[in-house]
Amino acid sequence: MKLLKPAWVHHDAKQIFSVDIDQDCTKFATGGQGNDCGRVVIWNLQPVLSEKDEFDEAIPKMLCQMDQHLACVNCVRWSQNGVYLASGSDDKLIMIWRKITGSSGVFGTGGMQKNHESWRCFHTLRGHAGDVLDLAWSPNDIYLASCSIDNTVIIWDAQAFPAMVTTLKGHTGLVKGVSWDPVGRFLASQSDDHSIKTWNTIDWTLSETITEPFEECGGTTHILRLSWSPDGQYLVSAHAMNGGVPTAQIIEREGWRCDKDFVGHRKAVTCVRFHNSVLCRPMPDGQKKLQYCCLAVGSRDRSLSVWMTALQRPLVLIHELFEDSILDLSWGPDQCLLMACSGDGTVACLQFTDEELGERLSADKMDALFMKLYGELYGAGLGLGSKTSVATADQSCSYQSEALALQTSALPFPLPNGALERRTASTAQRPISKQTETRTKDGKRRITPMFIPLNEEERAPASIASSSGTPTVPAAIERSHATTPTECAVTPRMPEPLVSSARKHQPAAAHRRQDRTPFDTSQQADFQRSHKTPDEHQGTTMGPKLNITASAKSEFVKTALDYRLLVQNGHLKTSHGMLAKVTASNNGEFLWEFYVGSPVVNVNLCAKYCMLCSLDGSMRLISMETGCHVFPAIALSSSAVHCAFSPDNSLVGVLTECGLLRIWNIAGATISLAAGCKELLIKHGAVVQFSVTDQGMPLIGFPNGNSYSYSTSLESWLVLATKDAIMYHGIRGTLPRDEDLVARKFPLLSMQASSQNYFVLGSGMELRKLESWQQTAKILFIDNQIKLCEALQSTDELKHWHTMQALQLSAYGSEKRLRMFLDELLSNSDTGISTVRMGWLTLCQHLSTLFPVSL
């Protein structure tokens, strides 16, 4: 084992509250405090592990720094597919980051400091009323769980951000940790109310409240990060007490028993983290393999311990590793790496060898273990369905043989598999016979396991090579202030899905079940619900959350594609007032400078243009290539809170504070739409979504999930989305599978599906059972969608809704209603949509063979 403390990993001497290693073990992320902001940094892991790479100037150390959070970042977590990074902050927000092509400058440096990778915030999740303290991705990245000091846990639909599935309420104190059961059946949360609650992921009801191990706890810790064992048999908590001694409580899945714990830290345990895989090593006879789990424990006493469930004492115990409390831990999913971070603003990395930790079980063997432990319950809690229902007899035999080959001998801390053997194998040794029991003064049990080495023939635990090469036993390791990294090859590998590759040849229906969610099991659609707003052609439409005044200095950045705009209000003081400066760059290369006489409160840009919106209500459309005016300066009665370009960059629209809406045709220098939405603002509050279609139609969305568009022919606002059950049921049953198609060509559906809090309808369970009104409601919903698409002139989307209506009527409608629909479809030849309707002659002819309607 080698202990590495890279001094170059820091947040400018500020606190680091979270660390997480990427799935392919090539990078890691840290979250914490920045300079008057919350900071997320993505680092290259290779220079940490290799001294050669550390001193190679051609190899970057910091890959990307993101300072967009307004307050301290408390947690960063990579998704299991490695595509997304989630960050939770004191600003009550959760940001979902994704890598984009090209490089960018570090926020707030004026382009002087460059990022080697570009990461963009694709989704901002709003729902908590207080600081967000912990995050956890579910197996297969179906959900994201977040917890907050508002005493709640929110389940986010990770395939349809920013949709919320439900809000779990029941804690009476700050919720400071969440962890998913790897089987997918439960979610656990730990709170300052001295309890752990487990929630059923099928219907999101409370399953169990555990309080006994925490009744003695006095005071609190900043975070309470708990962790499930990789096979789901045990849950280990933070900050428990036993006889006045700080412990990490072991909670058994079967019956939620709490009679065992990890003891040894002098102060409260702040975080625990299991290694992602079950580990094993050969037994002396060579026929069986000893299975065990590996757990890291961090504490306020600044020490770190690493435990194996097959050992009586810690494998590693490092005293005074940091100057402050340990706040987070992370294992390298595919490497023998453990990283820890502290409130003193530093991180540490423990590098083990395979001989020291053991061999990780393969995905197939883990699948076999899960099948043996849980059978048809494996994955059912996350809508993955029964795995046994699609397995062939030969496969079942194969799983059984693999599971038998992985049986373990007696273990001191009862391993998940040891617990299994107590239930299923009458000849297996009971782990309880290998431990002694004592009673504390207050009558509580204290379990002290007898020492059993990893190899039954050995009488001492395996030695560990320290960073100096000297073999040491797994006892306390003195703190090393200066350690030298050694070269280590990292082999990137994307993680396998929860269903192993051994069953990839199963029928497609089995895999489609993975996309279903427990809050709408009646839906049989085989699509993935991760629809995106079509905004990749431009920056964000809203201005920064800053208090911008005529006399104060302020600074913010807006990026899109490879362009970057730095706005510096109050940059220059003259005898006639302050000047704002806007600096444009492309891939770090300077393009132009622009000065404005009034502070810039909002700016947006696309591939061709940028729009500068000032505090005095003036607006300036600028060419991104030259930095020259495209329009003369335009004055409106108030400043713009939203500014958006159409996807083809031919139109630009603004929405002002007082509700004025203007859309201009850029090439023709003409007005395309002039309207107002003051009544909507009064009724629903501030607009949170704003976009302009290629046809010049505005789309606006509000925090309550309502969205609207304006019809010039009707001179009225059209209702696009509301939070009623008819709209919910209609969209849930008609979303196309191709999310990119929705983002590019379905503006109506894209706005409806991405409306904030759109899926929050009570507990999300009210539509699970099919009711008689739903089919009629769906037909009426699609009919309204057709009329909306005609008003929006969205021809590609109109084709989709004609298809859905034809299929819905053929399956559930009356013959008369179907006849009327087909006759209208063929007879109508309105300009602009006749080509689309005539393209459905084939569909109509096919349906006529099923129903005798007149064509």
Side-chain angles (χ1 to χ4, degrees):
M1 185 205 78
K2 294 181 180 178
L3 172 61
L4 313 168
K5 292 197 69 176
W8 45 268
V9 178
H10 58 80
H11 282 201
D12 297 330
K14 304 294 195 306
Q15 290 178 306
I16 296 178
F17 284 91
S18 184
V19 63
D20 203 38
I21 303 176
D22 184 35
Q23 298 300 311
D24 59 8
C25 291
T26 59
K27 59 175 71 79
F28 64 97
T30 57
Q33 185 66 48
N35 295 320
D36 297 325
C37 64
R39 177 167 295 177
V40 177
V41 185
I42 299 176
W43 307 89
N44 190 352
L45 185 58
Q46 194 65 16
V48 176
L49 305 177
S50 170
E51 181 180 10
K52 177 183 176 182
D53 292 340
E54 181 180 15
F55 295 102
D56 188 344
E57 295 182 356
I59 298 178
K61 295 182 177 64
M62 188 186 76
L63 300 179
C64 189
Q65 177 178 313
M66 298 94 83
D67 289 349
Q68 280 83 335
H69 276 289
L70 302 179
C72 182
V73 174
N74 295 307
C75 186
V76 289
R77 290 291 182 264
W78 293 98
S79 62
Q80 296 185 29
N81 60 16
V83 175
Y84 295 103
L85 174 67
S87 58
S89 165
D90 284 350
D91 60 11
K92 310 175 187 178
L93 303 178
I94 300 161
M95 293 188 178
I96 307 298
W97 306 87
R98 192 175 75 182
K99 185 179 178 182
I100 59 176
T101 57
S103 59
S104 62
V106 175
F107 182 87
T109 64
M112 299 299 295
Q113 184 179 348
K114 287 194 63 175
N115 286 321
H116 293 273
E117 292 183 355
S118 293
W119 288 76
R120 176 182 172 188
C121 177
F122 272 73
H123 303 284
T124 300
L125 311 183
R126 298 175 173 86
H128 283 294
D131 305 351
V132 179
L133 295 183
D134 201 17
L135 302 168
W137 295 87
S138 71
N140 271 18
D141 296 332
I142 297 175
Y143 304 119
L144 174 68
S146 62
C147 64
S148 167
I149 64 172
D150 62 8
N151 301 355
T152 67
V153 176
I154 295 181
I155 309 299
W156 305 89
D157 190 339
Q159 299 181 25
F161 285 134
M164 278 193 285
V165 178
T166 188
T167 300
L168 305 179
K169 300 179 180 179
H171 281 292
T172 58
L174 317 183
V175 187
K176 296 184 174 181
V178 285
S179 181
W180 289 91
D181 165 24
V183 184
R185 187 67 173 78
F186 299 104
L187 173 73
S189 58
Q190 186 167 357
S191 167
D192 264 353
D193 61 9
H194 296 175
S195 75
I196 284 181
K197 293 184 183 292
T198 57
W199 309 86
N200 190 323
T201 61
I202 293 180
D203 56 7
W204 305 112
T205 57
L206 179 62
S207 176
E208 186 71 24
T209 299
I210 302 163
T211 59
E212 182 184 357
F214 316 105
E215 291 173 352
E216 300 178 32
C217 295
T220 184
T221 61
H222 178 72
I223 40 86
L224 297 169
R225 305 196 201 274
L226 66 170
S227 180
W228 286 88
S229 61
D231 54 1
Q233 287 289 291
Y234 288 83
L235 174 66
V236 176
S237 78
H239 194 25
M241 297 287 285
N242 190 344
V245 177
T247 68
Q249 185 66 44
I250 303 172
I251 302 170
E252 296 184 40
R253 184 190 191 96
E254 183 181 4
W256 308 113
R257 293 191 296 270
C258 305
D259 54 2
K260 305 174 186 68
D261 45 28
F262 291 104
V263 185
H265 286 281
R266 300 184 302 274
K267 293 185 179 180
V269 172
T270 55
C271 52
V272 298
R273 191 87 175 254
F274 271 99
H275 190 285
N276 307 62
S277 302
V278 174
L279 305 172
C280 65
R281 64 175 69 239
M283 294 291 287
D285 55 14
Q287 299 298 318
K288 295 181 179 180
K289 287 187 176 182
L290 177 65
Q291 273 185 258
Y292 50 91
C293 299
C294 189
L295 175 75
V297 180
S299 169
R300 289 181 60 187
D301 62 9
R302 300 174 291 166
S303 63
L304 171 68
S305 60
V306 179
W307 302 74
M308 286 183 176
T309 52
L311 288 177
Q312 174 258 357
R313 57 179 180 173
L315 176 72
V316 175
L317 175 59
I318 308 177
H319 290 298
E320 298 182 358
L321 177 61
F322 298 103
E323 298 290 345
D324 203 343
S325 301
I326 296 177
L327 298 177
D328 203 5
L329 301 164
S330 177
W331 290 93
D334 203 35
Q335 299 288 334
C336 298
L337 299 174
L338 172 65
M339 295 198 77
C341 70
S342 169
D344 65 9
T346 64
V347 300
C349 178
L350 277 67
Q351 185 178 13
F352 299 90
T353 65
D354 287 337
E355 290 74 20
E356 292 164 353
L357 277 192
E359 176 187 355
R360 293 174 295 278
L361 289 192
S362 66
D364 291 344
K365 291 181 178 179
M366 283 294 294
D367 224 11
L369 178 61
F370 277 120
M371 292 296 295
K372 179 184 177 184
L373 287 169
Y374 306 104
E376 64 182 8
L377 294 178
Y378 171 33
L382 291 180
L384 303 180
S386 170
K387 304 291 188 296
T388 56
S389 61
V390 293
T392 63
D394 292 339
Q395 288 171 323
S396 299
C397 295
S398 174
Y399 288 140
Q400 291 175 6
S401 62
E402 288 181 351
L404 289 174
L406 295 172
Q407 286 183 355
T408 64
S409 61
L411 302 173
F413 282 130
L415 276 182
N417 305 306
L420 172 69
E421 288 182 17
R422 292 201 301 272
R423 296 193 301 270
T424 60
S426 58
T427 59
Q429 258 188 313
R430 292 170 56 88
I432 195 68
S433 63
K434 292 289 186 177
Q435 55 193 23
T436 59
E437 177 181 328
T438 58
R439 296 275 180 174
T440 60
K441 292 181 179 180
D442 57 1
K444 291 191 174 181
R445 299 172 63 196
R446 173 67 64 90
I447 304 298
T448 306
M450 296 174 62
F451 172 62
I452 300 179
L454 295 179
N455 190 325
E456 288 286 347
E457 293 182 351
E458 296 176 355
R459 294 294 95 191
S463 63
I464 299 177
S466 68
S467 58
S468 62
T470 306
T472 59
V473 296
I477 297 179
E478 295 297 326
R479 182 182 177 192
S480 174
H481 292 275
T483 56
T484 303
T486 58
E487 189 169 355
C488 176
V490 179
T491 305
R493 182 178 71 84
M494 292 304 293
E496 293 293 327
L498 190 61
V499 181
S500 71
S501 57
R503 297 208 296 268
K504 288 183 179 178
H505 62 277
Q506 292 175 3
H511 294 281
R512 289 199 298 267
R513 291 179 62 87
Q514 298 182 21
D515 293 328
R516 299 178 192 170
T517 55
F519 58 90
D520 196 11
T521 54
S522 65
Q523 297 297 333
Q524 301 299 315
D526 55 354
F527 51 79
Q528 291 189 359
R529 300 171 297 99
S530 56
H531 305 285
K532 299 173 288 188
T533 304
D535 60 353
E536 296 186 2
H537 68 285
Q538 63 177 349
T540 55
T541 65
M542 294 183 67
K545 295 183 178 180
L546 299 174
N547 183 23
I548 299 176
T549 63
S551 58
K553 291 185 177 182
S554 59
E555 184 177 300
F556 63 93
V557 172
K558 188 67 70 74
T559 60
L561 305 174
D562 294 327
Y563 291 105
R564 179 179 186 272
L565 292 179
L566 170 63
V567 178
Q568 296 171 293
N569 291 315
H571 173 75
L572 184 62
K573 186 176 182 179
T574 70
S575 58
H576 298 286
M578 306 286 283
L579 291 181
K581 178 183 177 182
V582 180
T583 306
S585 60
N586 185 1
N587 281 324
E589 181 180 350
F590 173 81
L591 291 179
W592 46 260
E593 291 179 348
F594 196 95
Y595 288 91
V596 185
S598 176
V600 177
V601 297
N602 194 5
V603 62
N604 200 5
L605 66 158
C606 63
K608 295 182 179 180
Y609 312 101
C610 74
M611 177 69 92
L612 307 180
C613 307
S614 295
L615 183 65
D616 61 2
S618 62
M619 299 168 198
R620 295 162 177 83
L621 186 65
I622 309 299
S623 168
M624 284 301 300
E625 182 179 0
T626 63
C628 299
H629 285 91
V630 178
F631 286 173
I634 298 172
L636 296 179
S637 58
S638 60
S639 59
V641 292
H642 283 274
C643 175
F645 291 92
S646 62
D648 63 2
N649 301 328
S650 65
L651 302 167
V652 61
V654 296
L655 182 64
T656 70
E657 287 180 331
C658 63
L660 289 180
L661 172 65
R662 297 291 186 269
I663 299 177
W664 295 280
N665 183 302
I666 298 176
T670 57
I671 187 71
S672 176
L673 176 65
C677 60
K678 185 175 181 180
E679 295 81 1
L680 294 178
L681 295 179
I682 296 174
K683 182 177 181 180
H684 301 294
V687 173
V688 295
Q689 291 176 281
F690 177 66
S691 60
V692 178
T693 69
D694 288 337
Q695 292 74 32
M697 304 298 292
L699 307 174
I700 63 174
F702 292 92
N704 59 6
N706 287 29
S707 57
Y708 301 87
S709 182
Y710 190 79
S711 170
T712 54
S713 59
L714 297 175
E715 295 187 358
S716 301
W717 286 96
L718 308 179
V719 179
L720 303 185
T722 58
K723 228 168 49 171
D724 61 74
I726 295 177
M727 183 72 68
Y728 172 88
H729 182 66
I731 293 180
R732 292 281 298 168
T734 54
L735 283 173
R737 179 184 305 178
D738 190 346
E739 62 179 84
D740 291 328
L741 178 67
V742 172
R744 287 184 287 106
K745 295 188 176 182
F746 290 10
L748 170 62
L749 191 54
S750 181
M751 172 61 78
Q752 291 171 330
S754 63
S755 294
Q756 290 202 2
N757 302 330
Y758 179 74
F759 294 104
V760 184
L761 294 177
S763 65
M765 296 295 297
E766 59 196 85
L767 297 180
R768 289 188 64 186
K769 296 182 179 180
L770 194 63
E771 299 179 11
S772 58
W773 63 268
Q774 290 180 322
Q775 299 302 339
T776 301
K778 184 176 290 186
I779 292 174
L780 296 175
F781 165 79
I782 297 174
D783 186 59
N784 186 63
Q785 293 288 96
I786 291 173
K787 297 303 179 184
L788 285 174
C789 289
E790 291 176 349
L792 296 175
Q793 303 174 41
S794 180
T795 54
D796 290 312
E797 193 166 6
L798 182 60
K799 179 179 178 180
H800 166 73
W801 293 115
H802 279 153
T803 304
M804 297 305 300
Q805 188 72 311
L807 297 176
Q808 192 72 15
L809 290 173
S810 64
Y812 303 103
S814 65
E815 179 182 337
K816 179 181 178 181
R817 182 69 179 85
L818 180 60
R819 183 191 300 273
M820 293 172 59
F821 173 72
L822 296 180
D823 287 342
E824 180 184 359
L825 188 65
L826 294 174
S827 62
N828 197 318
S829 58
D830 290 344
T831 303
I833 59 174
S834 59
T835 304
V836 174
R837 284 175 168 156
M838 292 304 293
W840 289 100
L841 275 171
T842 304
L843 173 62
C844 297
Q845 291 169 353
H846 171 70
L847 292 174
S848 68
T849 62
L850 302 176
F851 299 90
V853 297
S854 174
L855 297 177

PDB file of all heavy atoms in Angstrom, residues 528-545:
ATOM      1  N   GLN A 528     -36.831   5.479 -23.566  1.00  0.00           N
ATOM      2  CA  GLN A 528     -36.119   6.065 -22.454  1.00  0.00           C
ATOM      3  C   GLN A 528     -36.536   7.508 -22.333  1.00  0.00           C
ATOM      4  O   GLN A 528     -36.568   8.235 -23.308  1.00  0.00           O
ATOM      5  CB  GLN A 528     -34.604   5.988 -22.665  1.00  0.00           C
ATOM      6  CG  GLN A 528     -34.094   4.559 -22.591  1.00  0.00           C
ATOM      7  CD  GLN A 528     -32.588   4.522 -22.571  1.00  0.00           C
ATOM      8  OE1 GLN A 528     -31.955   5.565 -22.629  1.00  0.00           O
ATOM      9  NE2 GLN A 528     -32.034   3.351 -22.498  1.00  0.00           N
ATOM     10  N   ARG A 529     -36.817   7.950 -21.100  1.00  0.00           N
ATOM     11  CA  ARG A 529     -37.411   9.258 -20.887  1.00  0.00           C
ATOM     12  C   ARG A 529     -36.354  10.261 -20.449  1.00  0.00           C
ATOM     13  O   ARG A 529     -36.330  10.708 -19.328  1.00  0.00           O
ATOM     14  CB  ARG A 529     -38.499   9.156 -19.827  1.00  0.00           C
ATOM     15  CG  ARG A 529     -39.614   8.212 -20.209  1.00  0.00           C
ATOM     16  CD  ARG A 529     -40.557   7.977 -19.059  1.00  0.00           C
ATOM     17  NE  ARG A 529     -39.886   7.338 -17.948  1.00  0.00           N
ATOM     18  CZ  ARG A 529     -39.443   7.980 -16.895  1.00  0.00           C
ATOM     19  NH1 ARG A 529     -39.578   9.256 -16.789  1.00  0.00           N
ATOM     20  NH2 ARG A 529     -38.844   7.336 -15.917  1.00  0.00           N
ATOM     21  N   SER A 530     -35.480  10.596 -21.331  1.00  0.00           N
ATOM     22  CA  SER A 530     -34.451  11.585 -20.979  1.00  0.00           C
ATOM     23  C   SER A 530     -34.435  12.684 -22.012  1.00  0.00           C
ATOM     24  O   SER A 530     -33.495  12.856 -22.748  1.00  0.00           O
ATOM     25  CB  SER A 530     -33.080  10.916 -20.890  1.00  0.00           C
ATOM     26  OG  SER A 530     -32.768  10.264 -22.092  1.00  0.00           O
ATOM     27  N   HIS A 531     -35.515  13.428 -22.078  1.00  0.00           N
ATOM     28  CA  HIS A 531     -35.672  14.427 -23.120  1.00  0.00           C
ATOM     29  C   HIS A 531     -34.981  15.720 -22.727  1.00  0.00           C
ATOM     30  O   HIS A 531     -35.009  16.142 -21.592  1.00  0.00           O
ATOM     31  CB  HIS A 531     -37.165  14.671 -23.390  1.00  0.00           C
ATOM     32  CG  HIS A 531     -37.872  13.399 -23.719  1.00  0.00           C
ATOM     33  ND1 HIS A 531     -37.756  12.782 -24.924  1.00  0.00           N
ATOM     34  CD2 HIS A 531     -38.651  12.587 -22.962  1.00  0.00           C
ATOM     35  CE1 HIS A 531     -38.474  11.663 -24.928  1.00  0.00           C
ATOM     36  NE2 HIS A 531     -39.019  11.534 -23.732  1.00  0.00           N
ATOM     37  N   LYS A 532     -34.405  16.351 -23.736  1.00  0.00           N
ATOM     38  CA  LYS A 532     -33.607  17.532 -23.490  1.00  0.00           C
ATOM     39  C   LYS A 532     -34.214  18.730 -24.180  1.00  0.00           C
ATOM     40  O   LYS A 532     -34.785  18.625 -25.245  1.00  0.00           O
ATOM     41  CB  LYS A 532     -32.176  17.313 -24.006  1.00  0.00           C
ATOM     42  CG  LYS A 532     -31.478  16.160 -23.325  1.00  0.00           C
ATOM     43  CD  LYS A 532     -30.157  15.875 -23.971  1.00  0.00           C
ATOM     44  CE  LYS A 532     -30.323  15.245 -25.323  1.00  0.00           C
ATOM     45  NZ  LYS A 532     -29.074  14.794 -25.910  1.00  0.00           N
ATOM     46  N   THR A 533     -34.063  19.883 -23.582  1.00  0.00           N
ATOM     47  CA  THR A 533     -34.504  21.110 -24.211  1.00  0.00           C
ATOM     48  C   THR A 533     -33.547  21.450 -25.338  1.00  0.00           C
ATOM     49  O   THR A 533     -32.331  21.370 -25.174  1.00  0.00           O
ATOM     50  CB  THR A 533     -34.522  22.245 -23.178  1.00  0.00           C
ATOM     51  OG1 THR A 533     -35.352  21.847 -22.097  1.00  0.00           O
ATOM     52  CG2 THR A 533     -35.050  23.515 -23.777  1.00  0.00           C
ATOM     53  N   PRO A 534     -34.056  21.862 -26.509  1.00  0.00           N
ATOM     54  CA  PRO A 534     -33.186  22.106 -27.647  1.00  0.00           C
ATOM     55  C   PRO A 534     -32.429  23.420 -27.516  1.00  0.00           C
ATOM     56  O   PRO A 534     -32.688  24.403 -28.197  1.00  0.00           O
ATOM     57  CB  PRO A 534     -34.175  22.151 -28.824  1.00  0.00           C
ATOM     58  CG  PRO A 534     -35.450  22.617 -28.223  1.00  0.00           C
ATOM     59  CD  PRO A 534     -35.486  22.051 -26.847  1.00  0.00           C
ATOM     60  N   ASP A 535     -31.470  23.498 -26.588  1.00  0.00           N
ATOM     61  CA  ASP A 535     -30.760  24.738 -26.339  1.00  0.00           C
ATOM     62  C   ASP A 535     -29.266  24.621 -26.579  1.00  0.00           C
ATOM     63  O   ASP A 535     -28.507  25.501 -26.176  1.00  0.00           O
ATOM     64  CB  ASP A 535     -31.016  25.200 -24.899  1.00  0.00           C
ATOM     65  CG  ASP A 535     -30.547  24.183 -23.876  1.00  0.00           C
ATOM     66  OD1 ASP A 535     -30.149  23.081 -24.295  1.00  0.00           O
ATOM     67  OD2 ASP A 535     -30.576  24.491 -22.684  1.00  0.00           O
ATOM     68  N   GLU A 536     -28.817  23.543 -27.234  1.00  0.00           N
ATOM     69  CA  GLU A 536     -27.390  23.379 -27.433  1.00  0.00           C
ATOM     70  C   GLU A 536     -26.841  24.353 -28.461  1.00  0.00           C
ATOM     71  O   GLU A 536     -25.629  24.488 -28.604  1.00  0.00           O
ATOM     72  CB  GLU A 536     -27.084  21.935 -27.831  1.00  0.00           C
ATOM     73  CG  GLU A 536     -27.420  20.928 -26.744  1.00  0.00           C
ATOM     74  CD  GLU A 536     -26.985  19.530 -27.093  1.00  0.00           C
ATOM     75  OE1 GLU A 536     -26.383  19.356 -28.163  1.00  0.00           O
ATOM     76  OE2 GLU A 536     -27.257  18.613 -26.297  1.00  0.00           O
ATOM     77  N   HIS A 537     -27.698  25.001 -29.222  1.00  0.00           N
ATOM     78  CA  HIS A 537     -27.236  25.961 -30.222  1.00  0.00           C
ATOM     79  C   HIS A 537     -26.951  27.324 -29.620  1.00  0.00           C
ATOM     80  O   HIS A 537     -26.416  28.202 -30.298  1.00  0.00           O
ATOM     81  CB  HIS A 537     -28.289  26.107 -31.326  1.00  0.00           C
ATOM     82  CG  HIS A 537     -29.561  26.760 -30.859  1.00  0.00           C
ATOM     83  ND1 HIS A 537     -30.495  26.087 -30.087  1.00  0.00           N
ATOM     84  CD2 HIS A 537     -30.050  28.028 -31.009  1.00  0.00           C
ATOM     85  CE1 HIS A 537     -31.499  26.909 -29.804  1.00  0.00           C
ATOM     86  NE2 HIS A 537     -31.258  28.081 -30.349  1.00  0.00           N
ATOM     87  N   GLN A 538     -27.280  27.513 -28.346  1.00  0.00           N
ATOM     88  CA  GLN A 538     -27.136  28.823 -27.720  1.00  0.00           C
ATOM     89  C   GLN A 538     -26.776  28.653 -26.254  1.00  0.00           C
ATOM     90  O   GLN A 538     -26.705  27.541 -25.724  1.00  0.00           O
ATOM     91  CB  GLN A 538     -28.442  29.606 -27.835  1.00  0.00           C
ATOM     92  CG  GLN A 538     -29.605  28.945 -27.096  1.00  0.00           C
ATOM     93  CD  GLN A 538     -30.888  29.745 -27.147  1.00  0.00           C
ATOM     94  OE1 GLN A 538     -30.896  30.890 -27.559  1.00  0.00           O
ATOM     95  NE2 GLN A 538     -31.985  29.131 -26.725  1.00  0.00           N
ATOM     96  N   GLY A 539     -26.513  29.789 -25.582  1.00  0.00           N
ATOM     97  CA  GLY A 539     -26.273  29.754 -24.154  1.00  0.00           C
ATOM     98  C   GLY A 539     -27.581  29.742 -23.391  1.00  0.00           C
ATOM     99  O   GLY A 539     -28.670  29.624 -23.963  1.00  0.00           O
ATOM    100  N   THR A 540     -27.493  29.880 -22.086  1.00  0.00           N
ATOM    101  CA  THR A 540     -28.708  29.934 -21.274  1.00  0.00           C
ATOM    102  C   THR A 540     -29.435  31.250 -21.527  1.00  0.00           C
ATOM    103  O   THR A 540     -28.811  32.288 -21.765  1.00  0.00           O
ATOM    104  CB  THR A 540     -28.374  29.819 -19.788  1.00  0.00           C
ATOM    105  OG1 THR A 540     -27.423  30.828 -19.436  1.00  0.00           O
ATOM    106  CG2 THR A 540     -27.774  28.447 -19.488  1.00  0.00           C
ATOM    107  N   THR A 541     -30.752  31.209 -21.464  1.00  0.00           N
ATOM    108  CA  THR A 541     -31.548  32.396 -21.791  1.00  0.00           C
ATOM    109  C   THR A 541     -31.646  33.380 -20.637  1.00  0.00           C
ATOM    110  O   THR A 541     -31.899  34.558 -20.850  1.00  0.00           O
ATOM    111  CB  THR A 541     -32.961  31.984 -22.217  1.00  0.00           C
ATOM    112  OG1 THR A 541     -33.638  31.378 -21.098  1.00  0.00           O
ATOM    113  CG2 THR A 541     -32.910  30.988 -23.372  1.00  0.00           C
ATOM    114  N   MET A 542     -31.446  32.920 -19.419  1.00  0.00           N
ATOM    115  CA  MET A 542     -31.582  33.794 -18.254  1.00  0.00           C
ATOM    116  C   MET A 542     -30.277  34.521 -17.957  1.00  0.00           C
ATOM    117  O   MET A 542     -29.189  34.057 -18.310  1.00  0.00           O
ATOM    118  CB  MET A 542     -32.006  32.996 -17.021  1.00  0.00           C
ATOM    119  CG  MET A 542     -33.389  32.389 -17.090  1.00  0.00           C
ATOM    120  SD  MET A 542     -33.848  31.548 -15.556  1.00  0.00           S
ATOM    121  CE  MET A 542     -33.943  32.932 -14.425  1.00  0.00           C
ATOM    122  N   GLY A 543     -30.389  35.643 -17.277  1.00  0.00           N
ATOM    123  CA  GLY A 543     -29.219  36.371 -16.834  1.00  0.00           C
ATOM    124  C   GLY A 543     -28.656  35.782 -15.557  1.00  0.00           C
ATOM    125  O   GLY A 543     -29.236  34.873 -14.957  1.00  0.00           O
ATOM    126  N   PRO A 544     -27.517  36.293 -15.094  1.00  0.00           N
ATOM    127  CA  PRO A 544     -26.913  35.764 -13.868  1.00  0.00           C
ATOM    128  C   PRO A 544     -27.710  36.174 -12.640  1.00  0.00           C
ATOM    129  O   PRO A 544     -28.438  37.168 -12.644  1.00  0.00           O
ATOM    130  CB  PRO A 544     -25.525  36.424 -13.866  1.00  0.00           C
ATOM    131  CG  PRO A 544     -25.740  37.716 -14.577  1.00  0.00           C
ATOM    132  CD  PRO A 544     -26.763  37.421 -15.657  1.00  0.00           C
ATOM    133  N   LYS A 545     -27.569  35.393 -11.573  1.00  0.00           N
ATOM    134  CA  LYS A 545     -28.252  35.709 -10.320  1.00  0.00           C
ATOM    135  C   LYS A 545     -27.388  36.657  -9.498  1.00  0.00           C
ATOM    136  O   LYS A 545     -26.850  36.313  -8.445  1.00  0.00           O
ATOM    137  CB  LYS A 545     -28.557  34.432  -9.553  1.00  0.00           C
ATOM    138  CG  LYS A 545     -29.542  33.526 -10.281  1.00  0.00           C
ATOM    139  CD  LYS A 545     -29.870  32.298  -9.461  1.00  0.00           C
ATOM    140  CE  LYS A 545     -30.892  31.425 -10.165  1.00  0.00           C
ATOM    141  NZ  LYS A 545     -31.233  30.219  -9.382  1.00  0.00           N
TER     142      LYS A 545
END
